[in-house]
Amino acid sequence: MQNKQREVAQLEEKEVKKDIVNRLRTIKGHIQGIEKMIEEDKECEDILLQITAVKSSVDRVGQLIIENHSKECLLKDNISSDEIDKVLKTILKFMK
């Protein structure tokens, strides 16, 4: 049963990694767009709207990484309480 769970987790991890890379490429494109908007003296409101979108996208990438990391760590055999504490500390650091 645990082997099957690991296989499913590995497939999910590959999909999540692909999604994260795509999101990061999109974020990079948005940042380049913001840079161009600033160079072209676009309206402050428009620039800030794009920055808000980038911030939201970066937060979502962080959430995906935390979720994937947590699943990966918590599905280990014989996970120690120290490892669980480390996962929880990582989550809490991200949430600040």
Side-chain angles (χ1 to χ4, degrees):
M1 181 76 171
Q2 286 183 339
N3 286 338
K4 185 67 172 171
Q5 286 176 327
R6 280 195 200 113
E7 289 175 18
V8 170
Q10 287 173 344
L11 288 174
E12 287 178 3
E13 184 178 347
K14 287 180 183 179
E15 288 299 314
V16 169
K17 189 180 287 189
K18 183 178 175 182
D19 185 28
I20 289 169
V21 169
N22 287 336
R23 287 174 185 269
L24 289 171
R25 287 180 181 146
T26 300
I27 291 167
K28 184 169 42 173
H30 283 295
I31 291 172
Q32 290 170 341
I34 292 168
E35 183 179 351
K36 185 176 179 182
M37 291 172 77
I38 290 171
E39 289 171 349
E40 295 175 353
D41 294 323
K42 298 292 182 179
E43 294 293 321
C44 177
E45 293 83 10
D46 295 335
I47 294 169
L48 291 174
L49 182 64
Q50 290 303 309
I51 290 172
T52 301
V54 168
K55 287 170 59 176
S56 177
S57 295
V58 169
D59 283 343
R60 182 64 185 136
V61 167
Q63 290 168 358
L64 289 169
I65 290 170
I66 287 289
E67 181 180 341
N68 190 56
H69 173 70
S70 299
K71 285 180 185 177
E72 180 183 314
C73 291
L74 297 175
L75 288 176
K76 286 182 186 175
D77 288 335
N78 302 320
I79 186 168
S80 70
S81 61
D82 287 341
E83 289 175 301
I84 292 171
D85 286 344
K86 185 177 177 184
V87 170
L88 292 174
K89 285 179 184 176
T90 301
I91 293 168
L92 292 173
K93 281 182 188 177
F94 175 74
M95 292 174 58
K96 287 184 180 181

